[in-house]
Amino acid sequence: MLANSTRGFLWSDVETRTLLNIWGERDIQTALGGNFRNSHVYRDVARRLGIMGFERTPEQCRVRIKSLKRQFILAKEGNLRNNGQYHKICKFYDAMETILNCRPQIDPQELLDSGAVGDETEEEVDTDPPQDPYLESTGESSYPETQVKLEYPPIPVTVGNSNHLSKVLSHLHELNPSATISSQSAGGPSSKRPKKRHADLALDSVTKRLLEQSAEAEQSFYQMEEQRLQAEDHRREAKHARELHMLQVLGQMFSSIATRNPVATATPNTAMPPALNTMELSGPVFASLTQLAFLEHSSLGTAACRGMDDILPLVKNIVPQLTSKKHKGFLEYTHIVYTGAPYFAAISALKVGADMSHVFCAKAAVTVIKSYSPELIVHPVLDSPNAVEEIEKWLPRLHCLVVGPGLGRDEMLLKTAKEVIEKSKARDIPIIIDADGLWLVAQQPSVIQGYKKGILTPNYMEFTRLYEAMHHEPLDSSDHQRSAMELSVAMGNLTVVLKGEDDLITDGNKGILCRQEGSGCRCGGQGDLLSGSLGVLAHWAYTSSADMTKRGCHLVAAFGACSLTRQCNRQAFHKHWRATTTTDMIQEISSAFKKLFES
């Protein structure tokens, strides 16, 4: 902080006495007494002081005079109380007394304001704190002048003490008998501007008003809460009545189907459930039994329940048993070709049970991906001119293909991804397409259309883009189940997993609604965990020996991946709350998998 340019300069005794001599000259005193604005007077004082060989600014001269006058007043008051003991604190007491006694007219209120209350009337306002009178009146210094910021506590003054004020006024009268002092000029009612007074409200009335307002607000809150609860009850009752009506309609439909074809309703591995509990039906083709339901559809207008109360046992059936007789790559050997940002999907596949996880990416990404996990096998060939030939060398060893997240929309990368998909279809392996891979499908549906082992995992925005590309009309957002089945049929009965609050899984003929409990916190990269785990489960489902899953193994695999992802999200959310990330979810794969499929 810079020092104040007008304070803190040490004045020598010689310099101070010279200043007092100039300030005490009659023309200077006359000019000061007759003008309210006196900056020109102190400019003249500074000029005369410069002629005497002392370079000072007008402001420094003004501040020094003000300080000397304050010292003089304090010393004068101290002498009245302590028999002259305070005379020592004012080194230039005699000179100041001589000058002030010879002054033509002295306003007592002016001296009080300048010495005890505030700034003097004849000088400009100064808001800086007062200086210590003793330090400023000490002897001459041999060091060069330096700006120093000096701050001292203000001088305490009791303005309201009438005895003290009378003593000061009488003493001023002794200094200058010719000065006429009136009680009105010394502090009477007309010498000061009256202060504005505001009407004060009684504290009890204010408190009473606050209490009344608080009671009114509380009453209003209770009324609104009661209305909300009543509306909630009405909504719940309406929903229950609607569900009962749907159950009646569905029961009548099932009865008519069973009457027409009694053999088709029972097989060695499936049976009609004895009762349907809490079933929701949106349109004539989709339902949920408690948490899940398995429906088989011969068309979009009719439905016949093939009956499974719970899909999780089916997922357990496709999970291979751990045994020492299997070598690395036997049956469980699953490779993930995952273009772009691969880490979440590739590491999820490993943690679910893949023996190896291959990543085909651009050269710039290989170091970053390897730094995430040394378990991943990374091939930096995706942006090379012969990328397809390099990837094709590994296809005989791959059991699943995941394409999309982080792929981008560069024409060369999309062309490479399309050719790799075509060659993978020839090898009849499951292909999971997500993210930017779905952008490729929306532009060129034929790349995967009609491939029975193809699985699409769109979110709502990606699903809307696919639907409008296939049907050339806006999506009907009021019936997601029907729209999902229509998209699956248009794509040649591909499996579609529409991610959302409830995951909708359909192949156009059958459908599952996954309501495994998750959390309200959805993380960026959560879909990558789904696609990576789905690749492994799809391979297990298609190679499983469980006959009961052959009719819908792709749906079972998709349901298992959705359930696992939601369970990981739930467990991670319980530990990390709003700070949950996909990395936290990946750490929960082992315990979530065991809880869902191995307990």
Side-chain angles (χ1 to χ4, degrees), residues 386-398:
N386 57 340
V388 178
E389 291 77 8
E390 292 292 335
I391 298 175
E392 189 176 9
K393 297 177 183 178
W394 293 90
L395 288 181
R397 302 179 58 182
L398 304 182

Side-chain angles (χ1 to χ4, degrees), residues 90-111:
C90 183
K91 194 171 185 178
F92 306 98
Y93 183 90
D94 296 333
M96 289 293 297
E97 185 177 26
T98 302
I99 295 173
L100 294 177
N101 284 339
C102 296
R103 202 167 186 180
Q105 182 73 21
I106 297 178
D107 188 356
Q109 184 63 33
E110 173 190 341
L111 289 180

Side-chain angles (χ1 to χ4, degrees), residues 184-491:
Q184 188 175 16
S185 64
S190 62
S191 63
K192 292 185 179 180
R193 181 180 299 175
K195 295 184 179 179
K196 294 183 179 179
R197 297 188 178 274
H198 303 276
D200 296 330
L201 296 177
L203 181 59
D204 54 349
S205 63
V206 175
T207 305
K208 183 178 180 181
R209 288 179 57 188
L210 288 176
L211 292 176
E212 291 176 353
Q213 293 177 359
S214 177
E216 293 175 359
E218 187 176 2
Q219 184 66 23
S220 176
F221 170 78
Y222 287 145
Q223 292 177 357
M224 293 177 63
E225 186 68 13
E226 184 177 359
Q227 294 175 2
R228 186 188 67 81
L229 293 176
Q230 292 177 356
E232 185 71 16
D233 293 339
H234 293 328
R235 186 192 65 79
R236 191 180 298 107
E237 292 174 359
K239 181 179 179 181
H240 183 65
R242 187 169 60 253
E243 289 175 350
L244 290 177
H245 177 69
M246 291 179 180
L247 285 174
Q248 293 175 358
V249 175
L250 190 61
Q252 295 174 1
M253 183 174 58
F254 288 160
S255 298
S256 62
I257 293 173
T259 302
R260 290 197 305 269
N261 187 11
V263 178
T265 60
T267 64
N269 294 314
T270 61
M272 181 71 70
L276 294 175
N277 301 321
T278 317
M279 181 170 291
E280 296 179 0
L281 184 64
S282 297
V285 295
F286 226 96
S288 65
L289 177 60
T290 307
Q291 281 191 335
L292 311 164
F294 206 134
L295 298 183
E296 183 172 326
H297 304 273
S298 57
S299 68
L300 291 177
T302 62
C305 178
R306 303 296 293 175
M308 288 185 187
D309 292 344
D310 197 352
I311 312 299
L312 287 179
L314 299 180
V315 182
K316 295 179 181 179
N317 290 334
I318 69 174
V319 177
Q321 298 295 323
L322 298 178
T323 174
S324 59
K325 296 181 180 180
K326 295 180 180 180
H327 58 79
K328 181 174 66 176
F330 180 78
L331 186 60
E332 303 174 51
Y333 197 89
T334 303
H335 288 252
I336 302 296
V337 179
Y338 191 83
T339 57
Y343 172 68
F344 288 139
I347 200 66
S348 299
L350 280 178
K351 288 184 174 290
V352 168
D355 284 351
M356 295 183 182
S357 185
H358 291 247
V359 178
F360 295 85
C361 64
K363 294 179 180 179
V366 61
T367 304
V368 178
I369 297 172
K370 287 295 289 184
S371 67
Y372 289 151
S373 175
E375 290 88 355
L376 304 180
I377 304 173
V378 186
H379 305 271
V381 299
L382 191 62
D383 54 351
S384 62
N386 57 340
V388 178
E389 291 77 8
E390 292 292 335
I391 298 175
E392 189 176 9
K393 297 177 183 178
W394 293 90
L395 288 181
R397 302 179 58 182
L398 304 182
H399 295 82
C400 180
L401 178 72
V402 179
V403 181
L407 175 63
R409 299 176 184 179
D410 181 76
E411 293 184 2
M412 185 185 73
L413 295 181
L414 292 176
K415 180 180 179 181
T416 301
K418 178 182 177 181
E419 295 182 16
V420 171
I421 291 174
E422 295 290 349
K423 294 185 179 296
S424 299
K425 287 163 56 178
R427 301 201 60 83
D428 195 34
I429 62 176
I431 301 175
I432 289 83
I433 301 181
D434 189 24
D436 289 329
L438 297 173
W439 169 268
L440 173 62
V441 174
Q443 303 302 314
Q444 305 179 48
S446 60
V447 70
I448 195 66
Q449 191 172 19
Y451 184 62
K452 298 301 181 181
K453 292 187 178 181
I455 303 177
L456 308 181
T457 59
N459 57 30
Y460 181 75
M461 295 302 297
E462 295 163 343
F463 176 78
T464 303
R465 187 187 304 120
L466 284 171
Y467 185 91
E468 294 178 353
M470 296 301 300
H471 292 86
H472 305 287
E473 62 181 16
L475 173 67
D476 181 11
S477 59
S478 62
D479 192 349
H480 292 166
Q481 292 93 333
R482 176 177 290 276
S483 300
M485 298 192 73
E486 290 176 350
L487 175 61
S488 176
V489 171
M491 292 297 298

Side-chain angles (χ1 to χ4, degrees), residues 159-170:
V159 179
N161 192 333
S162 59
N163 294 330
H164 174 66
L165 181 60
S166 62
K167 290 181 179 180
V168 173
L169 293 177
S170 61

